Amino acid sequence: MKVLVIGGGGREHAICWKLAQSPRVTELVCAPGNAGIAETARCVDIGVMDFEKMADFAKKEAFDLVVVGPDDPLAAGIVDVLEEAGLRVFGPRKNAAILEGSKAFSKDLMKKYGIPTAAYETFDTPEAALAYLETAKVPVVLKADGLALGKGVLICNTREEAREGVKTLMLDKQFGRAGDRIVVEEFLTGREVSVLSFVDGKTIKIMTSAQDHKRAKDGDEGLNTGGMGTFSPSPFYTPETHAFCREHIYQATVDAMRAEGREFKGIIFFGLMLTAEGPKVLEYNARFGDPETQVVLPRMKNDILDVFEACVDGTLDKVELEFADNAAVCVVLASDGYPEHYEKGFVIEGLENFKDKDGYWVFHAGSKFDAAGNIVTNGGRVLGVTATGKDLKEARKNAYAATEWVDFANKYMRHDIGKAIDEV
Ligand code: AMP
Ligand code: GLY
């Protein structure tokens, strides 16, 4: 089968690596891809938001399956456009991708169907939000309704911070139209877990759990980022937690979307908070997590092409997902200054050290070839170094050892990815 993957980050590198393991994949293409993905797939320079060009290309090349990675094109309806062009696509249509694309939608859905989540109110004007905040309990959480690169969430410890937050989101429009409407939410405490799942419209199959580290600096300090590192499984995601989520969250979400006439096919990523009152949904994503994918897929035993096809065909009930009884840790190597100001274009050295090393991966998040053919840094997050081990501690030791195998100017990483493991 000829498969096209859309995207060009670490998540798509992991998806391409996994697809390349399938004996049924005869040709793999990625648009736009990156310098790391180029090792396993032919990269074609088409932007993920250039739907027309993407559809023309995909039709001309007659792909048997298209897999969409990132949130922005999903929310904007790339699946609908590709399907109209006659292609077979893995990913939610626009009317289902709204599960991630609008926080107000997902909160209303959870409320309507009794899915546990933080209490909230939605506001369309800054005046109404400010009036509400005069009496709201602090800390309080403000969320831009639309997509904001994972950065449209403000945790406000005081009323003054909350007022400032409304200004940032709704008046200064720091995240553009995403902040036209905001959700004001109760502040929850607990451990966060990422749970990814495959969905075929009716059936949902849960993957192994993972935990991300969203803040830029050690000790969960600094700004929110796309994710600085992950580990899988989460030792805090117990069988009891899983049973609760199965009963109250997972299938309930899929059924709710169907009941709303928004059948969801693709990946649902549940961002959960394990609170004292039980697990609650912090957010849904309509795609694989980044860098969760970089620890989940290396542990998955199934041929991912079979699973993608089962989701598209509505036969996921026939699939049993299998994960290795091991652990994985991914440490993101970023360019110093990320997520604010950072430089690009530094030569990356040592990538060859990962060749033929079982249990070690270097997934490229932001890299490209320069004019001289060198692989250079091309983003805030540059590489994701993943290693497996028999348990989390061994995986962490291996991953941190492997971070030393590569180098580039301004290389920055957190040194406490997986620190929570020590508390178990
Ligand atoms: P989200 O994009 O909704 O996942 O939010 C980004 C991050 O903000 C989450 O991973 C949490 O760390 C934090 N967060 C979001 N909602 C809440 C909440 N209601 N209470 C506490 N922290 C939250
Ligand atoms: N790592 C969090 C996300 O993909 O949204």
Side-chain angles (χ1 to χ4, degrees):
M1 276 183 56
K2 190 167 167 178
V3 182
L4 172 65
V5 174
I6 294 176
R11 162 183 50 215
E12 288 77 22
H13 193 178
I15 293 170
C16 285
W17 163 78
K18 188 68 182 157
L19 271 167
Q21 314 289 303
S22 170
R24 292 197 296 123
V25 172
T26 50
E27 197 179 339
L28 190 57
V29 179
C30 188
N34 63 38
I37 294 174
E39 270 196 20
T40 41
R42 169 161 60 98
C43 294
V44 178
D45 192 16
I46 303 175
V48 300
M49 296 306 283
D50 196 344
F51 294 1
E52 215 172 300
K53 208 162 158 195
M54 196 70 85
D56 285 348
F57 170 73
K59 227 165 49 181
K60 194 170 106 247
E61 293 243 355
F63 286 100
D64 300 298
L65 182 70
V66 183
V67 177
V68 186
D71 44 354
D72 280 329
L74 286 170
I78 194 170
V79 172
D80 307 58
V81 172
L82 294 173
E83 283 184 347
E84 273 158 32
L87 293 149
R88 216 163 147 241
V89 193
F90 175 81
R93 292 186 184 145
K94 185 176 182 178
N95 74 347
I98 192 175
L99 190 62
E100 172 171 6
S102 166
K103 302 246 188 224
F105 170 84
S106 68
K107 295 295 290 188
D108 289 348
L109 186 87
M110 288 186 265
K111 190 189 230 172
K112 181 168 172 188
Y113 292 90
I115 297 166
T117 190
Y120 73 101
E121 296 284 340
T122 304
F123 298 98
D124 290 307
T125 66
E127 294 76 23
L130 288 168
Y132 174 81
L133 285 167
E134 285 313 307
T135 55
K137 229 169 82 188
V138 286
V140 69
V141 183
L142 309 188
K143 298 186 173 185
D145 177 46
L147 294 179
L149 295 169
K151 292 167 199 146
V153 175
L154 307 177
I155 313 263
C156 307
N157 288 308
T158 63
R159 229 170 277 288
E160 189 44 42
E161 271 179 48
R163 286 187 206 109
E164 273 302 305
V166 171
K167 184 165 172 294
T168 305
L169 296 176
M170 299 191 93
L171 293 168
D172 301 345
K173 298 245 173 264
Q174 198 163 335
F175 302 102
R177 298 288 312 273
D180 282 357
R181 169 181 287 178
I182 65 166
V183 169
V184 177
E185 198 173 278
E186 166 200 12
F187 176 74
L188 299 177
T189 53
R191 283 195 189 277
E192 284 186 48
V193 184
S194 302
V195 177
L196 277 58
S197 67
F198 290 99
V199 182
D200 75 351
K202 293 195 285 288
T203 301
I204 179 164
K205 293 280 164 114
I206 305 298
M207 296 182 231
T208 183
S209 60
Q211 185 174 322
D212 191 9
H213 299 66
K214 291 211 167 92
R215 299 295 200 91
K217 298 193 174 146
D218 283 6
D220 289 330
E221 304 273 338
L223 293 173
N224 257 323
T225 69
M228 294 300 294
T230 39
F231 59 84
S232 170
S234 162
F236 309 104
Y237 187 77
T238 61
E240 294 74 38
T241 304
H242 183 63
F244 178 93
C245 295
R246 279 208 95 83
E247 190 176 340
H248 300 286
I249 296 176
Y250 301 147
Q251 189 69 47
T253 300
V254 176
D255 293 346
M257 289 299 278
R258 231 155 87 88
E260 293 292 311
R262 297 172 181 275
E263 184 172 82
F264 193 105
K265 289 187 174 199
I267 302 290
I268 300 183
F269 164 152
F270 298 85
L272 304 174
M273 180 83 93
L274 309 181
T275 75
E277 293 168 22
K280 295 192 181 183
V281 178
L282 281 182
E283 64 160 349
Y284 293 114
N285 294 315
R287 50 163 176 88
F288 278 105
D290 190 348
E292 283 86 347
T293 310
Q294 292 89 314
V295 285
V296 168
L297 292 190
R299 300 186 53 226
M300 184 170 144
K301 291 184 179 174
N302 303 68
D303 180 330
I304 201 167
L305 182 62
D306 293 345
V307 189
F308 283 153
E309 288 201 286
C311 291
V312 176
D313 296 341
T315 56
L316 193 59
D317 56 328
K318 310 265 187 324
V319 171
E320 270 327 308
L321 292 183
E322 275 193 274
F323 287 86
D325 184 20
N326 63 358
V329 170
C330 173
V331 180
V332 169
L333 305 184
S335 189
D336 199 9
Y338 172 74
E340 289 188 293
H341 308 291
Y342 52 85
E343 291 175 60
K344 302 183 195 176
F346 300 115
V347 174
I348 306 174
E349 287 177 70
L351 291 165
E352 66 286 355
N353 292 324
F354 286 82
K355 278 235 160 65
D356 305 320
K357 288 267 195 351
D358 267 0
Y360 293 90
W361 295 261
V362 60
F363 294 117
H364 292 223
S367 72
K368 66 170 191 179
F369 292 102
D370 70 6
N374 298 308
I375 296 183
V376 298
T377 69
N378 190 37
R381 291 191 291 180
V382 178
L383 304 171
V385 171
T386 296
T388 48
K390 65 176 185 315
D391 56 22
L392 285 162
K393 283 187 181 161
E394 190 180 279
R396 181 176 59 186
K397 194 169 117 262
N398 293 345
Y400 270 109
T403 62
E404 301 300 323
W405 302 350
V406 273
D407 203 16
F408 52 86
N410 292 5
K411 171 176 148 185
Y412 172 83
M413 71 182 120
R414 274 183 64 163
H415 287 91
D416 62 349
I417 301 302
K419 187 162 182 285
I421 299 163
D422 299 327
E423 297 165 31
V424 181

